[in-house]
Amino acid sequence: MELFIPGHPTKKLYIMRGIPGCGKTHRARQLAPDEQIFSSDKFFGEGEEYKKNWKIEKAHLGHRDCEAKTKAAMKQGVSPVVVDNTNINLSALRVYLDMAVQFGYEVYFAYPDSPWWDEVVGPFLDKKTPETTDEEYDAVVAQILDKNTHGVPAETLKSMMQRWTWPKIEEYIQSIEQRIA
């Protein structure tokens, strides 16, 4: 875990980050009880119910639901709060970072603790460059494809890894300045 935004030390927001199938939900359950974990996936159900209900054109509804429930919990001062989504880049994180600032929460980025995250996916995302080949992405996808419980297709996993960034606090501050200028 890494501290991203300091805030009130007793109010903590953990933002899970990772590709589907890397163990985010398992890690989230180590950080907080289920009623304090919010995710866009919960909007669609679990297991077969999730697979039946999830549609790309409805994905935004799951995210709005997660945002609303997270905000309500933070407004009440619930701690810790865990956002269990992929959060692959700053634009996905921004709404939760803004809430943390508004309600005075410390923000921690939390990552899966599975061997395949620690030994394969995380290190790959650390070293990927614009020159990383499709074959290199495909090799990593092959190692996690059967681990994601939601049936996310290989091409989507690959696309998420290609768009993955490691946000910096300076980028977030710049985004705030641009929005209020």
Side-chain angles (χ1 to χ4, degrees):
M1 272 184 293
E2 61 182 302
L3 177 63
F4 191 73
I5 298 177
H8 195 281
T10 62
K11 291 171 39 177
K12 296 183 180 357
L13 170 65
Y14 295 102
I15 299 177
M16 297 305 306
R17 299 195 68 225
I19 306 302
C22 288
K24 290 182 307 300
T25 300
H26 174 77
R27 180 73 176 119
R29 290 178 179 145
Q30 295 171 342
L31 297 170
D34 194 55
E35 64 273 6
Q36 291 170 228
I37 299 171
F38 304 98
S39 115
S40 59
D41 288 344
K42 287 183 178 182
F43 180 78
F44 298 101
E46 292 187 30
E48 290 305 313
E49 180 185 9
Y50 174 92
K51 290 177 185 178
K52 184 180 98 183
N53 293 333
W54 193 92
K55 307 268 185 283
I56 189 68
E57 57 275 0
K58 291 184 177 183
H60 69 284
L61 298 174
H63 285 283
R64 297 305 81 78
D65 181 68
C66 179
E67 291 165 12
K69 289 176 178 173
T70 300
K71 185 173 186 174
M74 292 173 79
K75 195 173 185 179
Q76 293 175 10
V78 171
S79 182
V81 169
V82 179
V83 175
D84 182 21
N85 293 331
T86 58
N87 296 302
I88 62 171
N89 54 35
L90 185 59
S91 66
L93 298 161
R94 187 174 288 122
V95 66
Y96 301 109
L97 298 175
D98 289 350
M99 286 180 205
V101 170
Q102 179 182 2
F103 297 112
Y105 277 70
E106 281 192 342
V107 176
Y108 293 86
F109 289 158
Y111 299 89
D113 58 1
S114 66
W116 51 95
W117 172 265
D118 288 339
E119 297 166 15
V120 179
V121 182
F124 176 81
L125 294 172
D126 272 344
K127 68 177 178 135
K128 77 179 183 83
T129 68
E131 291 77 34
T132 300
T133 66
D134 283 343
E135 292 78 20
E136 291 171 296
Y137 282 106
D138 292 342
V140 175
V141 167
Q143 295 183 57
I144 62 170
L145 187 60
D146 65 337
K147 292 178 178 21
N148 85 77
T149 59
H150 300 306
V152 178
E155 281 305 310
T156 302
L157 296 173
K158 181 177 175 178
S159 172
M160 293 174 102
M161 287 193 300
Q162 290 169 329
R163 293 178 288 127
W164 178 274
T165 60
W166 298 97
K168 297 173 181 58
I169 190 69
E170 299 82 20
E171 293 171 340
Y172 176 64
I173 292 169
Q174 285 175 350
S175 79
I176 293 171
E177 291 169 347
Q178 289 170 354
R179 286 182 279 157
I180 61 174

